[in-house]
Amino acid sequence: MAGISILFDPYGRQARLFPGLLTIFPALLCALAWFPQLLSGLGSTLLTICSSCGLLYALSSLARTKGKQVEKRLLKTWGGWPTTLLLRHSNGDLESHTRQRYHAFLAKSAKLAFPDAGTEARDPAAADAIYASAVKWLKERTRSKEFALVEKENAQYGFRRNLQGMKSFGISLCMFALLLCLASVVFVAKVDWSSFHAHLGKTISTIIAEQPAQRWGALAVDILAVFAWLVVVNDEWVRQAGYQYAYALLACCDKLKITSANRSAGNSTKAA
């Protein structure tokens, strides 16, 4: 864990490393269930060497690359970044008075001329460019522990995006491990296959009893992983995280406004 802490910051661990590890975990668990000797001796040494040579970093880099590829497609589907969408006059997800408050703060603080609804409708691309610039200004001023919720939601979005990017690879790896394990169970089973149909129940019971519990447990995890990939990990799951991050980031306008007001009041008191 200490080595991982050196290689990855909190965001890197949650958003990049964890999706990569979750992708290979079911297959790795199946391998360890069949070859438990990998946990000790030479196997453990080889795993340590691979990790030291950048295996974990390469895995996290792959997850980020796949996630970025998915992100390009998602942005086209969504019509832009959630932060930009929420700042649009035409968007109804954010309450209008709250949007006006954010517009007023960002326009004054970032020194940008925010468009009204009519101007936005006439030139939406120009309006989006202003919103994007304002969001960039806001991001740079919320990179601290003081804005822990923003960091948390950002990492959550990165985690879901990168896991969605690894989806096809994860499903393929799980199915490969599942089929290989089932084939191995059948291959090593000490049963009379010539009388399989005649004694189906007895044959199945024999096969189940022959294999250690950890092997069946690993297969169960593999099946659950396939289910999770197919049902949980999807575009909507990523979109929800993207909007949660956008709401948290834009809400910092109020916090920054209060902080600026307090600083101004403090400076006035000192001057007096």
Side-chain angles (χ1 to χ4, degrees):
M1 181 61 71
I4 292 178
S5 299
I6 293 173
L7 288 173
F8 303 97
D9 57 18
Y11 176 86
R13 287 196 298 272
Q14 182 175 338
R16 299 172 184 172
L17 179 61
F18 290 170
L21 291 176
L22 284 174
T23 300
I24 66 172
F25 174 72
L28 182 61
L29 192 63
C30 287
L32 293 175
W34 280 88
F35 305 102
Q37 61 269 26
L38 292 174
L39 289 173
S40 60
L42 181 60
S44 179
T45 301
L46 289 175
L47 184 60
T48 301
I49 293 174
C50 289
S51 299
S52 300
C53 291
L55 178 63
L56 294 180
Y57 188 82
L59 189 61
S60 68
S61 181
L62 175 63
R64 182 181 184 276
T65 300
K66 292 294 185 180
K68 282 295 185 180
Q69 292 173 354
V70 165
E71 188 175 69
K72 290 181 180 179
R73 175 179 60 80
L74 291 177
L75 290 177
K76 291 181 180 179
T77 302
W78 299 343
W81 292 101
T83 44
T84 299
L85 299 180
L86 291 177
L87 288 175
R88 289 175 181 171
H89 291 280
S90 58
N91 185 277
D93 292 326
L94 188 63
E95 191 269 327
S96 60
H97 295 293
T98 302
R99 183 187 301 108
Q100 290 174 7
R101 192 171 68 249
Y102 293 165
H103 278 201
F105 172 77
L106 291 171
K108 180 180 179 181
S109 302
K111 296 179 174 58
L112 292 168
F114 268 55
D116 56 24
T119 304
E120 178 186 289
R122 288 191 296 271
D123 194 350
D128 282 354
I130 293 174
Y131 300 150
S133 179
V135 169
K136 184 177 181 180
W137 178 91
L138 187 60
K139 284 181 178 180
E140 293 303 320
R141 281 150 185 82
T142 54
R143 298 182 187 276
S144 67
K145 294 182 179 179
E146 184 180 358
F147 302 95
L149 180 60
V150 175
E151 293 183 359
K152 177 182 177 182
E153 296 296 354
N154 188 30
Q156 178 68 211
Y157 166 71
F159 171 81
R160 294 190 185 188
R161 178 202 66 192
N162 294 341
L163 205 58
Q164 173 70 345
M166 297 290 281
K167 183 174 182 175
S168 58
F169 181 67
I171 293 176
S172 299
L173 195 58
C174 284
M175 293 303 298
F176 176 76
L178 182 63
L179 294 175
L180 189 61
C181 287
L182 289 175
S184 299
V185 167
V186 173
F187 180 76
V188 301
K190 299 177 181 178
V191 296
D192 184 7
W193 293 105
S194 62
S195 60
F196 174 76
H197 296 288
H199 305 90
L200 180 60
K202 183 179 179 181
T203 301
I204 294 176
S205 298
T206 301
I207 293 175
I208 293 175
E210 281 183 348
Q211 301 301 323
Q214 62 265 27
R215 292 182 180 176
W216 295 117
L219 281 173
V221 170
D222 204 26
I223 293 172
L224 288 174
V226 173
F227 178 81
W229 281 117
L230 294 174
V231 176
V232 178
V233 182
N234 52 50
D235 290 352
E236 176 60 21
W237 191 57
V238 181
R239 191 191 72 85
Q240 290 174 359
Y243 270 85
Q244 288 168 3
Y245 167 66
Y247 280 117
L249 179 63
L250 293 176
C252 292
C253 290
D254 291 332
K255 189 171 184 178
L256 286 170
K257 185 176 182 180
I258 293 173
T259 302
S260 299
N262 290 338
R263 287 176 180 173
S264 298
N267 292 334
S268 298
T269 302
K270 289 179 180 180

